[in-house]
Amino acid sequence: MGSLMPNAAAVLAAAVVAALVAGRPCSGDGAPGLNITTDDVDYSGRWLPARATWYGEPNGAGPNDNGGACGIKDVNLPPYAGMTSCGNLPLFKDGKGCGSCYQIRCKLPECGNPVQVFITDMNYGPVAPYYFDLSGTAFGSMAKPGLNDQLRHRGIVDLDFRRVPCRYAPGQNIVFHVEEGSNPFYLAVLVKFVAVDGDIVQMDLKDQGSPEWQPMNHSWGAIWRADMHRPLKGPISIRITNESGRTLVATDVIPENWLPNTVYNSNIQF
């Protein structure tokens, strides 16, 4: 950049900032840091540096459809309540970071107490090794009372962040959504409201047609799929493994006469 004339440099800098501030969708490529895992060091309270932007409506949940690259819908509603964020590669982890929780705090005079956000979308933009593209709601929530808009006008801010266990209200169990297009030979399931680690690294199923567990494949976001050589016969049990290696079984959670585009509540939770 040293060969640029001052005016040209200013124009380029302004263009870069304009591309990163509020209102544009998650996009881009970048050089990420190391994956944030559930190793003891990441739950120990150690803060790491990051940068953040925001997108969507100032008081919105990010995407216009209140969804995102994890496939989770209605993130504007509780328990997410708009406190959502895109994550770059070490946070989103090609979808296996969906649902994980982070505590963030910014360093400006407008900033208040730390807040917690859920990873529900992706942004691989070249902003920092660790990059949160927050919903307008989540970005503004970092501010002291009455300074939400003032903080949002900053556009890009420096953060400290740390991974924290996800906590849900008592009685909120893990939920499975059978995705549109599923049929006896293809089953796609979205999993959400996973406490503690927040994310799933493996799912397996067992139906009435087989006594053995069959591994499911990670499809995209928080969605796992099974491609069958024979028709599935319900009810279907689902086994999930979180990032810490803990396993739970939702026995017969998908009933015999299951339907696509349907939510099935479990009685399990980490």
Side-chain angles (χ1 to χ4, degrees), residues 39-106:
D39 293 341
D40 289 341
V41 64
D42 295 320
Y43 278 153
S44 68
R46 180 169 63 97
W47 293 89
L48 297 171
R51 303 196 85 190
T53 55
W54 65 278
Y55 73 115
E57 295 297 322
N59 294 299
N64 291 333
D65 64 354
N66 295 313
C70 288
I72 301 169
K73 304 299 183 183
D74 300 322
V75 297
N76 56 314
L77 302 177
Y80 300 110
M83 294 296 292
T84 57
S85 181
C86 297
N88 70 336
L89 183 59
L91 306 171
F92 185 76
K93 294 183 278 190
D94 290 330
K96 288 191 177 180
C98 288
S100 53
C101 296
Y102 291 89
Q103 194 173 50
I104 57 175
R105 63 186 183 190
C106 61

Side-chain angles (χ1 to χ4, degrees), residues 5-261:
M5 296 297 290
N7 287 344
V11 169
L12 177 59
V16 171
V17 171
L20 295 173
V21 296
R24 80 281 168 277
C26 299
S27 62
D29 299 303
L34 298 175
N35 279 5
I36 300 299
T37 69
T38 57
D39 293 341
D40 289 341
V41 64
D42 295 320
Y43 278 153
S44 68
R46 180 169 63 97
W47 293 89
L48 297 171
R51 303 196 85 190
T53 55
W54 65 278
Y55 73 115
E57 295 297 322
N59 294 299
N64 291 333
D65 64 354
N66 295 313
C70 288
I72 301 169
K73 304 299 183 183
D74 300 322
V75 297
N76 56 314
L77 302 177
Y80 300 110
M83 294 296 292
T84 57
S85 181
C86 297
N88 70 336
L89 183 59
L91 306 171
F92 185 76
K93 294 183 278 190
D94 290 330
K96 288 191 177 180
C98 288
S100 53
C101 296
Y102 291 89
Q103 194 173 50
I104 57 175
R105 63 186 183 190
C106 61
K107 306 176 181 181
L108 297 169
E110 299 96 323
C111 297
N113 294 324
V115 299
Q116 180 177 308
V117 297
F118 299 89
I119 298 297
T120 58
D121 206 349
M122 64 169 284
N123 189 323
Y124 289 177
V127 175
Y130 298 109
Y131 170 34
F132 292 82
D133 197 17
L134 299 159
S135 70
T137 294
F139 196 97
S141 72
M142 295 189 294
K144 295 174 182 175
L147 299 181
N148 310 67
D149 286 336
Q150 185 173 324
L151 179 60
R152 278 190 286 263
H153 287 156
R154 293 276 192 168
I156 306 174
V157 299
D158 291 321
L159 289 182
D160 290 326
F161 79 100
R162 59 186 177 186
R163 187 159 178 183
V164 295
C166 297
R167 305 295 184 196
Y168 290 98
Q172 177 61 73
N173 291 325
I174 294 169
V175 167
F176 298 95
H177 182 270
V178 175
E179 296 292 289
E180 191 71 44
S182 293
N183 59 68
F185 291 91
Y186 169 78
L187 179 67
V189 180
L190 179 145
V191 57
K192 61 182 180 177
F193 307 150
V194 180
V196 191
D197 290 354
D199 50 11
I200 296 300
V201 299
Q202 182 58 49
M203 283 179 58
D204 310 280
L205 67 78
K206 183 167 62 174
D207 72 332
Q208 296 304 303
S210 173
E212 304 296 330
W213 287 102
Q214 174 177 318
M216 300 178 72
N217 297 310
H218 182 238
S219 185
W220 61 275
I223 297 171
W224 293 74
R225 74 176 192 275
D227 301 287
M228 306 298 296
H229 298 293
R230 58 168 179 81
L232 284 163
K233 182 179 179 181
I236 301 168
S237 299
I238 300 288
R239 182 172 66 188
I240 59 175
T241 304
N242 70 3
E243 197 173 4
S244 296
R246 295 179 60 197
T247 298
L248 291 176
V249 174
T251 302
D252 297 342
V253 66
I254 299 176
E256 181 177 0
N257 298 315
W258 60 270
L259 295 171
N261 197 28

